[in-house]
Amino acid sequence: MGRELQFEIFRYNPQKEGDQPRMQTFRLEETQNMTLFIALNRIREEQDPSLIFDFCCRAGICGACAMVINGRPGLACQTKTKDQPSKIVLHPLPVFKLIGDLAVDTGVWFREMYEKTESWVHTSKTFDPTKEEERMNNDVAEQIYELERCIECGCCVSACGTARLREDFMGAAALNRIARFVVDPRDERTDKQYFEIIGNDNGVFGCMGLLACEDVCPKGLPLQNQLGFLRRKMGITAIKEIFRK
Amino acid sequence: MQTYYSDLLVIGAGLAGERVAVDSAEKGFNVTCLSIVPARRSHSSAAQGGMQAALGNSAKGEGDCPDIHFGDTVKGSDWGCDQEVARLFADASPIEMRRLAHWGVPWNRVVPGQSFYFKGGQKFEKYEKPENEGLITARAFGGTAKWRTCYTSDGTGHAVMCTMDNRCAQLGINVLDRKEAIALLHDGETCMGAIVRCLRTGQLEAFISKATAICTGGFGRIYKATTNAVICDGGGHIIAMDTGLVPIGNPEAIQFHPTGIVPTDILVTEGCRGDGGTLLDVNEERFMNIYEPEKAELASRDVVSRWMTHHMREGKGVKSAYGEHLWLDIRHLGDKHISTKLREVDEICHHFLGVDPRTELIPVRPTQHYTMAGIRTNKDGAVYGLKGLFSAGEVACWDMHGFNRLGGNSLAETVVAGGIIGAKIVEFLEGYETKIKTDIVTQEYKKQEQRIQDLISGRNGSENVYDVRNDMQEALMKGCFVFRNGPDLEETVETLQKVLDRAGHIGLKSDGLGVNHELAAALKIKGQVKLALMIAKGALDRTESRGSHNRVDFPERNDAEWLTRTLAYWKEDATLPDLQYEDASPVFEIPPGERGYGGGTIIPADEQFVKERMIKKDK
């Protein structure tokens, strides 16, 4: 016999007339190697098919299932119940719009982020299919990939003190995105152009330095270092601008 | 009724879907992509290993060219593929990899000088040429003559998906997430869009278009044990099949990957074996080198999965609470290699097994992984049976994979086919006008509304959708897995017919309001069971063994009778699929022959038949 787990789950379906936000209790016997993916699906299939939550890859790769697990944002699929107390409290991620119960709308938030950061390689070159590829140092490729590993789960944003106070704060995911293009030699944007995007209170200077973003990142991205790197770079860019005037 | 209009409607925004969308958008057409999840969560992003392209930059890929890649692909398919399509693919793949580099993919690059690699547990040395420094490099994958798989660490799918989605954002393509197409709009001849359920509100919407492309990935989730994401549930196949006009090609061709972890069936990449990892049995001894002296662990997936299953049946499996399994050993690759080139594998082992692959073995066994089966298209990606409907990627049977696809060929297919078919859609759209029949839109909308109402009210019955789904999954595991035989397949067909009847009597337990998952499952269960029946009936009728389709009672590959592609139609109110057949390939560059691995005997095709179809090459 496994432990009896008690789940306290946030419930609210905005599409249901008169529905009120509330916590609901479910009980489930723990089985070997149980994850929240297994547990939540069992609750939905065996106890309450109206329960709303998101899973996709269930392997910690896609970022769909981020939620607040006993007070801490994380990926539900890679959370093992044996690492949690027998009472497990689940909330949807804050900051993002609620879809229903544990599901939030990260899709729209991140698409807006792509627009704000112009999340693509800015180049004046055109592709020539007859030519050999442009060369790149393998270390540089690995450096880019290190920052490209973001899965847009939203944990960093929902754990961010500034983002929870100010809707217009871009958050660690956006700053990391900029850093990804700064290290990419194919992107021809200048420091001044990056400054236009993040050299303000909504961007790199708005961060209060609490750094929960890095603590909760399920991919272990170096968000703190990127923030420092960009602040220094943007600080220098600002000073250069002052002297030019 | 909320109605949207676009020139091109792409259903599915994974790599194939977004790549298809890019060409039309670049030409100024209005393009909408629909996805049930934010695009970057698509299952493309879970592909770890890489993309095959004959660039020949790395030392172990020297001398590679599209001809060799083509040959490997045809052999891999066990001569089930369309050779014209395999040729288009092999020729275009290197150019597409370079295009992706231009758009921003951080491919791993050639590092000059001496380095080491492992094969079969042994350490070997290689020298990368200084003049190739910084070009796109490659790793080894199964069933290939050269190191040809381009990669970004073991997050290739993720990295390319990021770049492709960036490209879509740059072009201003409307990529709408949480939208699920539940029916196609058509008049029996022409497709004009889809009825879509919004997964934010639960509302139905009409998306009208001149051209429609289905790019929704595979349908592994109809099996109980699969590496696939939960979204790979056949939604795209079902809306095409439900028209009664569109066939599913080779439904019996389902791939089982050798290294799904036990118990969760999460995939660890073929790159583990490509990079020199080995498979061990209960005695911690290698066995693939005994069955396949030449290719060993790097034979094609169908062959490795077959030998693994065979070896476990010989009593050499490791017993566990979750059934028998074997071991994958990458300990000898060392910390640096695992920490940089196999990071996802490392994380998966840590999070889902509590295993450190540097010092411990990884429990693995064959698991459903890929559907070579799919919506049958011609070589331009145009779907059989409906004008204005296209399909690309895993959802389609284009058909470069035949009865077994090589590792690294599917991820490459998404972008290569996406590019080729995307260009063909541009040709189709240029100067094309059509009439949108609003009565058809209204009728279909009402029909879908009624379907939902019936499920909510329980008008058709009170069967539990999750129970029905479970019985379908179990039936497939029993009859349509790695090894198949006549009596089991007959039983599976019978079982599934009963399950199909129950699938027609689903009633929701919940209220079905908003983004209700039970409703989403109920809307597609009937279609899923039909797909399952197509697999079982296709497998029952194909009395030979080819690639991933292994009939214990018909072990020969029978080219005399079965050098064909199954076309499975589902006519309205039928209880079984209608199976038709076409030639596997209209032409041969390489006549049917031995694969060079996998063993087995071949009943040869009629010589005259082959001769008439051989392409004469100018030398």
Side-chain angles (χ1 to χ4, degrees), chain A residues 13 15-17 31-33 35 37-38 41 44-46 48-65 77-80 99-100 103-108 110-111 114-115 119-123 125-142 144-146 148-154 177 180-181 184 186 218-220, chain B residues 18 37-41 43 45-46 48 55 57 95 98-111 130-136 152-155 158-159 162-163 165-170 175 177-178 199-201 221 226-231 263-266 321-322 340-341 343-344 347-348 350-352 354 464 466 469 509-511 513-518:
Chain A
N13 183 353
Q15 303 301 324
K16 188 174 171 179
E17 219 171 297
T31 53
Q32 209 189 341
N33 287 328
T35 61
F37 170 71
I38 297 169
N41 275 290
R44 179 154 73 189
E45 290 172 21
E46 296 165 14
D48 188 348
S50 72
L51 186 60
I52 303 167
F53 51 78
D54 289 327
F55 280 100
C56 183
C57 77
R58 59 81 173 90
I61 293 168
C62 81
C65 62
C77 73
Q78 61 182 33
T79 300
K80 294 188 273 286
I99 299 278
V104 296
D105 193 344
T106 50
V108 166
F110 277 95
R111 287 215 92 74
Y114 309 158
E115 297 294 326
S119 168
W120 51 83
V121 167
H122 290 53
T123 176
K125 292 176 185 148
T126 49
F127 177 69
D128 181 348
T130 63
K131 281 220 176 92
E132 170 177 279
E133 64 273 24
E134 209 172 305
R135 291 172 192 243
M136 182 183 275
N137 185 299
N138 191 55
D139 292 338
V140 174
E142 284 182 355
I144 298 168
Y145 177 64
E146 178 65 23
E148 190 103 286
R149 292 173 66 244
C150 170
I151 54 173
E152 303 189 356
C153 59
R177 182 60 48 85
R180 179 248 175 268
F181 288 104
D184 192 331
R186 291 167 295 198
K219 299 314 266 186
Chain B
E18 290 203 332
V37 292
R40 289 177 202 220
R41 310 216 193 291
H43 199 47
S45 72
Q48 299 162 6
L55 289 160
N57 295 327
I95 299 166
R98 293 179 176 132
R99 192 190 323 269
L100 293 173
H102 177 75
W103 284 345
V105 172
W107 294 118
N108 276 94
R109 304 294 180 132
V110 174
V111 178
E131 63 264 36
N132 285 350
E133 179 174 8
L135 295 175
I136 299 168
T152 298
S153 180
D154 62 350
H158 171 83
C162 287
T163 295
D165 199 35
N166 286 339
R167 179 77 186 146
C168 287
Q170 183 183 7
V175 182
D177 66 284
R178 292 188 188 264
L199 301 183
R200 283 189 176 78
T201 62
R221 278 281 155 181
T226 175
T227 63
N228 287 191
V230 298
I231 56 171
T264 51
D265 301 299
I266 294 169
Y322 298 96
T340 57
K341 299 248 165 66
R343 282 175 83 145
E344 291 296 336
E347 284 189 16
I348 286 167
H350 171 71
H351 287 298
F352 299 98
N464 180 325
Y466 297 116
R469 189 178 69 183
K509 308 293 167 215
S510 63
D511 55 22
L513 292 175
V515 208
N516 185 285
H517 179 270
E518 190 189 17

Side-chain angles (χ1 to χ4, degrees), chain B residues 183-187 190-195 206-209 212 386 440-442 444-445:
Chain B
L184 287 179
L185 294 167
H186 72 94
D187 60 2
T190 308
C191 179
M192 44 194 124
I195 297 292
F207 280 78
I208 292 167
S209 57
T212 305
L386 275 178
I440 284 177
V441 180
T442 311
E444 192 58 49
Y445 185 90

Side-chain angles (χ1 to χ4, degrees), chain B residues 268-278 328-330 333 342 345 362:
Chain B
V268 289
T269 174
E270 182 157 320
C272 290
R273 283 171 293 130
D275 292 1
T278 54
L328 172 66
D329 183 8
I330 60 170
L333 302 184
L342 297 171
V345 172
I362 308 168

Side-chain angles (χ1 to χ4, degrees), chain B residues 104-178:
Chain B
V105 172
W107 294 118
N108 276 94
R109 304 294 180 132
V110 174
V111 178
Q114 183 198 43
S115 55
F116 298 96
Y117 68 97
F118 286 89
K119 195 181 170 188
Q122 303 267 326
K123 197 173 184 179
F124 296 90
E125 199 180 39
K126 65 179 172 69
Y127 287 89
E128 298 290 348
K129 286 182 177 168
E131 63 264 36
N132 285 350
E133 179 174 8
L135 295 175
I136 299 168
T137 191
R139 60 166 39 135
F141 254 46
T144 63
K146 303 277 181 186
W147 286 26
R148 187 187 296 129
T149 304
C150 309
Y151 64 96
T152 298
S153 180
D154 62 350
T156 312
H158 171 83
V160 180
M161 192 69 237
C162 287
T163 295
M164 197 63 75
D165 199 35
N166 286 339
R167 179 77 186 146
C168 287
Q170 183 183 7
L171 291 167
I173 296 172
N174 292 316
V175 182
L176 307 177
D177 66 284
R178 292 188 188 264

Side-chain angles (χ1 to χ4, degrees), chain B residues 201-238:
Chain B
T201 62
Q203 293 296 309
L204 293 186
E205 299 163 343
F207 280 78
I208 292 167
S209 57
K210 284 186 189 172
T212 305
I214 300 178
C215 306
T216 50
F219 57 95
R221 278 281 155 181
I222 70 172
Y223 278 81
K224 189 90 191 160
T226 175
T227 63
N228 287 191
V230 298
I231 56 171
C232 302
D233 57 12
H237 302 83
I238 293 167

Side-chain angles (χ1 to χ4, degrees), chain B residues 227-228 255-257 267 301 367-371 394 405:
Chain B
T227 63
N228 287 191
Q255 180 169 79
F256 305 94
H257 196 289
L267 178 77
R301 288 176 181 175
T367 301
Q368 194 288 337
H369 180 59
Y370 188 81
T371 45
E394 186 176 349
R405 94 168 156 81

